[in-house]
Amino acid sequence: MSYNVEEMNWSDVRNLFRKWRDDNERKSEDVMQLWDSVLSSKQSKLGNERHLVLEQVIIAALDCNRVETAEHCVSILSAEFPGSLRIQKYRSMLLEALERYDDALGELDQIIRKDETNAAPRKRKVALLKTQGRTAEAIKELCEYMKIFMSDQEGWHELCNLYLAEGEYAKAAFCMEELLLHNPHSHLIHQRLADIRYTMGGLDNIEMAKTHYCKAVKLNVNNLRALYGLFLCCGHITNSKATPAKRKEAQKLAQWAMGQIQSRTEPPTKATKVAHKAGKGGIESNGELQALEQAFGGLEVGKLTN
C-alpha cells in the first residue's frame, strides 16, 4: 500500500508505526517507504519510541534487502547500548542477511553463553542451521533447547518436522505425543500423529493410527483428512491377518467413514435427505458398496470371509 507522504507529518507516521507494532504487523515495504520519506530525518522527535522504531526499521530493512539501512540502524543502537544482548541478536540477523553464516552463529553462541535462559537466540540458531541444510545439527540444537523449554509447543512441532525430513518417523511420533500432553483436544494433532503412524506401517501402527483418526473425527466430524485416513486404516485391517472380530469391526467402520465422506463431498439427494431424517447410517446402495469395494482394491465389502 502506497501512502501520500506529502500529506503526512512525522506524528502521523509515528502513530502508524505504533499501531503496526501493537497489531504485530510487519508491513515491511510500507515501513521503509515512510521511514525514508518522513521519519529518518525526524528521529530526535520520537522520544522514548525512537529505539523501538529503529528496531522496527531493522526488521523491515532486512525483509526488503535494504542491508545498508539495517546496518546503519544497528550501528546507532550498538553505540548507545554496547553490551545489549538484544542488539547483538540484530547484529547476528544482519550477518545472516550478508550470508556470513559462521559469524552469525558465533554471535548467537555468545548470546547463549551469556544468557542460557534466552530462548530467542536458540531458536534463531536452529532456523539458521535449517536454512543451511544442516538438519542433523539443527535437530541436535533443538533437542538441547527442548530439554530446557519443554512446554514450547512450537518447538515440538518444529522438531517433528525436522525428524520427518530425516525419515525418523518414530521420533516424530514421539514429538506429536508430547504435543498431545499439552493439547489433548486438538483434532489436528491427533490427525498428524495418525498420519505418521500410518506412514510407519505395520498392523500395530495402523491400529494406533485408526485410534487417533477416530479421536480426530470425534473432535471434529468435518475433518475430511481424518475420515479418509480412518477409511484407509480400516481397509488395511480388513485385509490383514487380524482376528475376525477386528476385521468385522474395521469393515463396519470403513462403511461409516465412506458414508460420512460421501455426505460431505457429494450434493445431497432426496434419498439421502430422507435417510438422514430417519437417522439411518452406513452405506445402503449398491453404487456406494461398489465404490467402497473399488477403494479397498477389489475386496468384497458386503461379506466378510474368515
Side-chain angles (χ1 to χ4, degrees):
M1 179 178 179
S2 59
Y3 293 88
N4 188 356
V5 295
E6 295 181 356
E7 297 181 0
M8 299 179 70
N9 57 36
W10 69 270
S11 60
D12 294 331
V13 177
R14 180 200 59 189
N15 294 336
L16 193 58
F17 276 31
R18 182 189 301 163
K19 179 179 181 301
W20 288 340
R21 288 197 306 272
D22 293 340
D23 295 341
N24 199 25
E25 295 182 86
R26 292 175 84 112
K27 299 278 189 179
S28 299
E29 293 183 357
D30 296 335
V31 167
M32 293 311 303
Q33 178 193 3
L34 295 173
W35 170 259
D36 292 335
S37 304
V38 181
L39 271 191
S40 61
S41 59
K42 306 290 184 180
Q43 293 184 43
S44 58
K45 295 185 178 182
L46 293 175
N48 295 331
E49 289 189 51
R50 175 170 168 267
H51 303 117
L52 294 175
V53 169
L54 286 172
E55 290 181 332
Q56 195 172 1
V57 172
I58 290 171
I59 300 297
L62 292 175
D63 286 344
C64 298
N65 198 26
R66 295 274 301 276
V67 178
E68 293 182 358
T69 302
E71 194 170 5
H72 174 67
C73 294
V74 169
S75 64
I76 293 174
L77 292 174
S78 297
E80 296 188 29
F81 307 98
S84 171
L85 299 181
R86 185 166 174 170
I87 307 306
Q88 196 170 359
K89 183 191 73 172
Y90 290 124
R91 195 155 50 240
S92 71
M93 294 171 64
L94 178 61
L95 292 171
E96 185 180 344
L98 295 170
E99 298 184 359
R100 294 167 56 184
Y101 299 120
D102 292 338
D103 294 336
L105 287 172
E107 291 282 349
L108 293 172
D109 287 334
Q110 288 182 23
I111 300 174
I112 294 170
R113 282 195 296 269
K114 292 177 182 177
D115 184 5
E116 295 182 356
T117 61
N118 193 339
R122 292 179 181 271
K123 286 186 172 183
R124 195 72 204 173
K125 186 176 180 180
V126 173
L128 184 54
L129 292 171
K130 182 181 176 182
T131 302
Q132 293 180 273
R134 298 157 63 178
T135 308
E137 295 178 52
I139 290 174
K140 182 180 178 181
E141 187 66 31
L142 189 51
C143 286
E144 292 296 323
Y145 170 83
M146 296 311 303
K147 290 178 182 178
I148 303 173
F149 305 95
M150 295 181 182
S151 61
D152 189 341
Q153 297 187 42
E154 290 183 356
W156 286 115
H157 273 293
E158 184 60 33
L159 188 56
C160 177
N161 290 334
L162 292 174
Y163 277 133
L164 289 176
E166 291 292 293
E168 298 278 0
Y169 295 111
K171 294 179 180 179
F174 173 82
C175 295
M176 297 310 298
E177 288 167 355
E178 287 288 331
L179 280 168
L180 275 181
L181 296 176
H182 295 286
N183 196 354
H185 301 296
S186 171
H187 68 100
L188 295 175
I189 295 177
H190 281 284
Q191 171 203 300
R192 195 173 193 203
L193 178 55
D195 289 342
I196 295 171
R197 288 292 180 184
Y198 181 85
T199 304
M200 292 171 68
L203 185 58
D204 291 340
N205 285 317
I206 296 297
E207 287 276 5
M208 294 180 69
K210 178 176 76 74
T211 301
H212 287 290
Y213 279 132
C214 286
K215 187 66 176 178
V217 172
K218 183 179 179 180
L219 292 169
N220 182 7
V221 73
N222 294 316
N223 189 332
L224 274 177
R225 185 184 180 106
L227 286 169
Y228 276 116
L230 178 59
F231 175 77
L232 292 174
C233 286
C234 291
H236 277 281
I237 295 171
T238 307
N239 285 314
S240 70
K241 296 181 180 180
T243 61
K246 285 187 176 181
R247 292 165 60 195
K248 189 173 183 179
E249 179 188 0
Q251 177 189 14
K252 291 180 180 179
L253 194 54
Q255 292 178 350
W256 177 85
M258 177 58 74
Q260 294 295 315
I261 292 169
Q262 288 180 333
S263 68
R264 285 161 176 74
T265 56
E266 294 181 357
T269 61
K270 290 183 179 180
T272 55
K273 287 181 179 178
V274 172
H276 179 71
K277 289 181 180 179
K280 294 180 181 179
I283 300 175
E284 301 287 341
S285 67
N286 291 332
E288 290 175 341
L289 278 174
Q290 290 175 1
L292 186 59
E293 290 170 0
Q294 184 178 5
F296 271 126
L299 173 69
E300 293 184 0
V301 181
K303 55 185 178 181
L304 179 66
T305 58
N306 295 331

